[in-house]
């Protein structure tokens, strides 16, 4: 490994301009507003930058503008079941931030039991322009902590119970399970059960509500409903109970893919054919859903859309993009979509 | 949303020291060397920082030290099949970097077809102390690009064909498939087939080599071997051929979980019991592996260990942690481990 070019830094804006035979302003445009340059000019400047090994002093720039162009995102050991949803969101957010000239600073909590772990440290040791939160919950202390400090913050997930006080973007979980009910009713099902998480989880209760409300809309009585934690063995046991109860459902809507997979396993153990004898729907469209046999019908969360909305809202909050008036807290609810597979329609792919 | 405290910044190191009734040096220690302070003192300083809303000017610090304490990691749309491995690695790396006082800057490529996309931009617009690469391949242009610029770089994944020229940490894939063979031989299997990716992929060829070498070590002839791309329908078709060929194997080692799931589906379509009639092993221990019925025996990659090694090697390259002599390029090969489930041992959990 040779010497660190970053520390040598002999090339300057001037020498790059000379090398590329353009003005200083053009080099500056290439770095900060590439879209205003012709592709040819941009390529010429880029090549000069490469040849000279030029690295603009970002820290000096930050001092001047008061901006770091960094968005902080904490990645937590997954507390609520997510089926890879948060990882997909991270990718989409990295993409969305980049398109707006922001970079993503990803950090892990130091003390998993401390809600503020990581945020506090980052605010005292680094400069971050804004935070994106995930896995928000009732009375989430992070929201108050960051609001008090005036740090622009948008959460993916509702600040349950304080929806009017913060900026957030979320997927409409109740609409997702309602779509599953609509689909099953269209397939001729009339006794539609539910397997959800123990009540008290905001996300889980919302998904149960969607199932209930959709049944009422169709003039149907709710079928049997049981709960299990996000654990395959627990889900399998609860599903066995649900399927052999006094009024066995012909279809089961589930609050997650893991719960739905538990229903598929229970059906097989009972000698009944998933998809053919009893229809099953999951939630999250996790990678496993498409790999099962039969493949699992599941509610898909449009995370690219969520990330784009998060970045759009951040754009209205960040000093770099002043808006005429301060933006009042706003919630954006994004519609999910059902991916139909063989667990609910036997001849689906 | 109130004003941005970051831009006001009225609290200073001095006012925090006064508030906490400690010296300036102690405040500085709390920020940079918290381990040298007693928990009580650290808490007192932390509270003073919180009360005053103090934010040290990280940019000014960076200018002074020439360090950003940022490690760049590009997240790519997954090109080679990975079963969530890269997302698990990202989490482990965030954790490992934090423990060493570094933060992770995560970015997406702008032009997916340009190998250098993102790296070039980041070097010209931001200050990053080092890069961590993933999905390295033969003649990977990123390695030469970053080496020329003297940017400390460590890859998760071998720089195939240039193992002696760069710093890398990888999981020993051949050792993983060899473990699968050892396990199957111990279960009494003598005709052990292989389902891999089309030859030419470094990772896939390595995993096939492990199967071949382990069979030779046991004095066994290699069973039938076929290939399929990372696609369930293709895997299912290839597996059907493998299982109904002239010398049908009693066990199949696969280069990925998706390929192994194809074998499970093919067995079911042939009316044969996976795990009981034919044993199957996968690679990556993806979330789906434990959710299948029967659950899939699979090779697990120790990504926490990989991330810790990556951070350790970075530590020897970064100017902040000078070592007596420049570190020569080094490769670290980490051993994976087989997770045994019902697809290879019928009464396994």
């Amino acid at each position: 490994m040779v010497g660190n070019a970053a520390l040598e830094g002999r090339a300057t804006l001037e020498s790059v301009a000379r090398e590329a035979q353009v003005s200083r302003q053009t080099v500056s445009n290439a770095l900060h507003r590439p879209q205003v340059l012709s592709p040819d000019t941009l390529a010429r400047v880029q090549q000069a930058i490469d040849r000279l090994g030029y690295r603009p002093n970002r820290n000096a720039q930050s001092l001047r503008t008061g901006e770091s162009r960094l968005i902080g995102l904490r990645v937590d050991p997954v507390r609520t079941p997510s089926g890879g949803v948060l990882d997909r969101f991270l990718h989409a957010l990295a993409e969305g931030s980049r398109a707006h000239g922001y970079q993503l600073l990803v950090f892990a909590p130091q003390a998993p039991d401390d809600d503020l772990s990581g945020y506090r440290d980052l605010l005292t040791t680094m400069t971050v322009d804004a935070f994106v939160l995930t896995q928000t919950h009732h009375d989430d202390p992070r929201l108050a902590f960051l609001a008090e400090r005036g740090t622009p913050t948008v959460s993916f997930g509702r600040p349950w119970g304080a929806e009017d006080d913060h900026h957030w973007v979320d997927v409409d979980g109740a609409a997702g399970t309602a779509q599953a009910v609509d689909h099953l009713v269209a397939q001729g099902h009339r006794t539609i059960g539910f397997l959800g998480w123990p009540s008290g989880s905001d996300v889980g209760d919302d998904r149960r509500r969607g199932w209930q409300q959709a049944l009422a809309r169709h003039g149907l009585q709710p079928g049997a409903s049981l709960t299990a934690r996000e654990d395959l063995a627990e889900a399998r046991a609860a599903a066995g109970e649900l399927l052999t109860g006094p009024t066995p459902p012909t279809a089961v809507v589930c609050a997650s893919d893991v719960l739905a997979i538990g229903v598929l396993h229970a059906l097989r153990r009972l000698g009944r054919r998933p998809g053919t004898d009893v229809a099953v729907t999951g939630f999250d469209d996790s990678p496993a859903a498409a790999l099962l046999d039969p493949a699992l019908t599941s509610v898909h969360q449009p995370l690219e859309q969520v990330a784009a909305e998060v970045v759009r809202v951040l754009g209205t909050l960040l000093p770099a993009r002043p808006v005429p008036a301060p933006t009042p807290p706003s919630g954006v609810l994004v519609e999910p979509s059902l991916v139909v597979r063989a667990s609910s329609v036997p001849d689906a792919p």
Side-chain angles (χ1 to χ4, degrees), chain A residues 183-184 186-189 250-251 264 267 272-281 292-297 340-349:
Chain A
H183 163 68
L184 294 168
Q187 297 289 310
H189 293 280
T250 65
L264 296 180
L267 282 170
R272 296 164 79 181
R273 289 164 302 170
T276 307
D277 297 331
V278 175
V280 183
T281 68
L292 296 167
D293 187 19
L296 180 63
T297 295
V340 175
R341 299 196 183 93
S343 75
S344 66
V345 179
D347 54 355

Side-chain angles (χ1 to χ4, degrees), chain A residues 31-235:
Chain A
L31 295 173
H32 306 292
R33 288 166 295 277
Q35 69 281 7
V36 307
L37 297 184
S38 76
D40 278 3
T41 308
L42 186 57
R44 202 157 78 237
V45 176
Q46 194 65 264
Q47 284 156 13
I49 285 171
D50 277 2
R51 269 197 303 274
L52 301 182
Y54 173 61
R55 290 178 65 174
N57 194 324
R58 182 184 145 266
N59 295 319
Q61 283 172 3
S62 296
L63 274 181
R64 215 161 50 230
T65 63
E67 271 184 77
S68 66
R69 307 201 72 78
L70 285 175
I71 295 171
L73 175 76
R74 189 172 79 181
V75 289
D76 294 281
V78 175
R79 209 185 295 181
T80 56
S82 76
V85 161
L86 294 177
D87 289 324
R88 277 179 51 219
F89 174 67
L90 186 151
H91 283 255
L93 189 64
E95 196 98 31
S97 308
R98 180 153 193 78
H100 283 72
Y102 279 85
Q103 307 283 353
L104 215 52
L105 188 98
V106 167
F107 59 103
Q110 262 172 329
D113 291 336
D114 175 7
D115 269 309
L116 300 179
S117 179
Y119 299 100
R120 185 183 277 140
D121 309 322
L122 211 54
L123 282 177
T124 51
T125 59
M126 304 278 284
T127 306
V128 174
D129 284 341
F131 281 101
V132 172
L133 305 186
T134 61
Q135 299 185 280
T136 42
H137 53 82
H138 251 96
D139 299 321
D140 196 316
R142 299 175 299 172
L143 292 162
F145 177 83
L146 294 170
E148 269 169 31
R149 277 151 190 81
T151 309
T153 302
V154 179
S155 67
F156 166 31
R158 268 157 279 188
W160 298 90
E163 282 91 337
D164 294 339
D165 303 336
H166 303 282
H167 296 275
W168 55 268
V169 179
D170 203 358
V171 173
D172 191 342
T177 43
Q179 281 184 31
V181 169
D182 292 346
H183 163 68
L184 294 168
V185 169
Q187 297 289 310
H189 293 280
R190 294 294 174 268
T191 314
I192 300 173
F194 186 79
L195 184 59
W197 296 314
S199 74
S201 100
D202 298 311
V203 172
D205 295 351
D206 188 47
R207 294 180 185 176
R208 177 181 289 104
R209 207 174 302 125
W211 162 75
Q212 273 167 338
Q213 290 172 344
L215 287 174
R217 183 159 43 75
H218 287 287
L220 294 171
Q221 291 297 316
S225 165
L226 279 179
T227 64
R229 284 176 301 179
E230 190 76 350
D231 170 273
L232 191 55
E234 265 199 36

